Amino acid sequence: MDAVRVALLREVLAGTQWLDATRRFAGALRGSVVSHGGGLLLVGTPAYEPWHLAAHLVDEAAWSGTPELSPTLVRHAARASDPAHLAVGLGRVEAARRGETLLVVAPDATGPELLERVRDARRAGATVLALAGSRTGGAGGPEGHEDLAAMAHELLGPADGAEAAVDLDTVQHLVSAAAGENSAAAPRGRRRFRDRLSRLADQLTAPPPPRW
């Protein structure tokens, strides 16, 4: 149902800045990881882990034939006893180097520990992208968002689509879908986004098979 949901979201948001803003951000994300052959790190805040975005990016990587979009999820509370794909801690952000892309999802305060590591990653040459859940800058923004905005090569937040209030979960759906949809032409045999949407719509609206 995600393909249908994204199509409906785009229809609702038609005429706002959000579609262009999310596609522009997705293009920066895709361009960074594809040009460097992968190396995408995805991290949230101490209070928020972007599980759903990680899952959507993995799906888009497979559907679009762009494996570079598949991220490594970095966790604030990772433990050595966790499964390998859940055991990557903040030290991985600090160790990021040129050619890697760091995507920060921050619906709330980023926190000084993460900001310090993001700063180290940027200094080492990593590309920093950020999705912010509140306006960056001004007295009303969460603590740390101004610094995150200053460090990010590309940032997407409510100010980019101010005429329509959109929550961060919706933004993540739009970005992940656009990142896969806007990839280079898929090899023969792989369905593009519109093909997947059309096929799914046909399945949902088809009448039940007759019973003999």
Side-chain angles (χ1 to χ4, degrees):
M1 290 294 288
D2 281 338
V4 173
R5 180 181 180 185
V6 169
L8 291 174
L9 287 172
R10 286 175 173 172
E11 183 176 346
V12 170
L13 293 172
T16 73
Q17 298 177 30
W18 278 110
L19 297 186
D20 286 342
T22 52
R23 284 182 171 131
R24 182 176 64 250
F25 187 90
L29 171 61
R30 183 189 65 256
S32 179
V33 297
V34 170
S35 64
H36 292 111
L40 175 58
L41 304 176
L42 175 62
V43 65
T45 66
Y48 177 83
E49 290 187 333
W51 297 94
H52 287 103
L53 180 56
H56 291 316
L57 287 172
V58 169
D59 287 344
E60 290 297 336
W63 286 333
S64 66
T66 313
E68 298 89 349
L69 285 173
S70 188
T72 296
L73 180 63
V74 177
R75 304 179 62 216
H76 287 258
R79 299 171 299 181
S81 59
D82 290 332
H85 67 290
L86 300 178
V88 180
L90 286 180
R92 183 64 183 86
V93 174
E94 186 177 3
R97 293 294 180 264
R98 184 176 303 277
E100 294 186 299
T101 303
L102 175 61
L103 175 54
V104 182
V105 182
D108 48 36
T110 316
E113 187 178 7
L114 176 59
L115 282 173
E116 181 178 352
R117 285 165 168 78
V118 172
R119 186 177 293 109
D120 289 340
R122 162 121 190 189
R123 286 173 178 169
T127 299
V128 178
L129 307 177
L131 293 173
S134 297
R135 294 184 186 278
T136 57
E143 180 184 357
H145 273 24
E146 295 85 353
D147 290 335
L148 180 60
M151 283 184 274
H153 293 90
E154 187 81 23
L155 180 136
L156 180 60
D160 293 286
E163 78 278 24
V166 177
D167 61 55
L168 190 60
D169 181 63
T170 296
V171 171
Q172 291 177 74
H173 274 85
L174 293 171
V175 167
S176 59
E181 180 185 12
N182 294 337
S183 63
R188 185 176 181 180
R190 288 194 174 97
R191 293 188 299 275
R192 295 178 63 82
F193 175 82
R194 291 184 183 275
D195 298 324
R196 300 200 313 270
L197 176 58
S198 177
R199 184 170 181 269
L200 180 57
D202 288 343
Q203 291 174 341
L204 292 174
T205 58
R211 295 183 179 180
W212 303 100

